[in-house]
Amino acid sequence: MADEEVAEEEEVVDTGGAESETAVSPIETQKPLAPPKYEVRPGLGEKFQAQNVRDIIMSTMQEQLMGRQYRADQAPRWAKVIANAVRQRVQDLDMKRYKIVVQSTIIEMKGAGVKCGQRCIWDPETDDYADELYRNDTLFCYTIVYGVYLY
C-alpha cells in the first residue's frame, strides 16, 4: 500500500506542472495596464455649479408646488418627488466625481417660526451646496443640494 500512495503523489505532481505551464502563457499575451490616474481636485470648469443647481431647485419646486395647498397626507410624497427630480436634473449637469445629496422639507405655514441648521465635514475647496426656499400662502418648502467631491 505504501508503494501505491507514493505513485499517486507522483501523478499529482506531474499534472500540477502541466497546468502551471498553460496558466502562464495567457498572462504573457495580455497588454500591460495603463497607470492609474489620481485626481484629488476637480479640473477648471468641473467644480460644483451652485448657481445652476439653485436654478434647478427653484424651477422644480415651482413646477411641483405652484397653486397647491398644504395637505399633510400629500406633503411627504411631494417632498420625495421634488428631491428625486432635483437629483436627476443635477446629475444631468454631468459634474464628474461629485456625490449629489438632496434634502427637501415641506411644512405648513401657520405663523410659527422655523429654524434649521446643517453641519458637514468637507473640503471647502471642492465641496459645496446650494439651497432655495419656496413659499406660498399655506406651505413652506426648503430644498438643499450637497455636492461632495469623491477623491
Side-chain angles (χ1 to χ4, degrees):
M1 291 198 125
D3 293 331
E4 292 175 8
E5 291 177 9
V6 172
E8 289 177 11
E9 289 178 9
E10 289 176 7
E11 290 175 9
V12 171
V13 171
D14 290 338
T15 57
E19 289 177 4
S20 64
E21 290 176 10
T22 58
V24 172
S25 62
I27 294 174
E28 293 174 2
T29 61
Q30 291 179 352
K31 295 180 182 177
L33 297 174
K37 294 181 180 179
Y38 299 104
E39 297 178 19
V40 294
R41 298 279 183 251
L44 188 63
E46 294 179 351
K47 285 194 172 188
F48 187 76
Q49 303 168 16
Q51 187 57 47
N52 291 343
V53 173
R54 279 188 193 91
D55 296 340
I56 288 172
I57 294 169
M58 191 50 130
S59 67
T60 304
M61 287 192 298
Q62 286 175 347
E63 289 169 7
Q64 295 296 322
L65 300 174
M66 187 73 70
R68 292 195 178 181
Q69 302 297 316
Y70 181 82
R71 290 180 48 193
D73 60 331
Q74 293 294 315
R77 188 177 64 81
W78 295 340
K80 283 181 186 177
V81 168
I82 290 170
N84 288 335
V86 167
R87 182 179 46 84
Q88 184 60 47
R89 291 175 66 185
V90 169
Q91 285 176 341
D92 290 343
L93 292 176
D94 198 31
M95 291 182 283
K96 294 180 177 145
R97 299 184 63 146
Y98 272 94
K99 173 75 174 180
I100 304 298
V101 179
V102 181
Q103 179 183 1
S104 187
T105 305
I106 299 176
I107 58 175
E108 185 174 12
M109 294 277 283
K110 287 240 178 178
V114 175
K115 291 184 182 184
C116 54
Q118 296 94 19
R119 181 177 292 179
C120 300
I121 298 174
W122 65 20
D123 184 354
E125 293 180 17
T126 59
D127 305 335
D128 203 356
Y129 75 96
D131 61 341
E132 277 296 331
L133 175 68
Y134 176 84
R135 292 183 214 203
N136 67 18
D137 295 337
T138 62
L139 63 87
F140 173 94
C141 181
Y142 179 71
T143 302
I144 186 166
V145 177
Y146 298 96
V148 182
Y149 190 75
L150 300 175
Y151 292 102

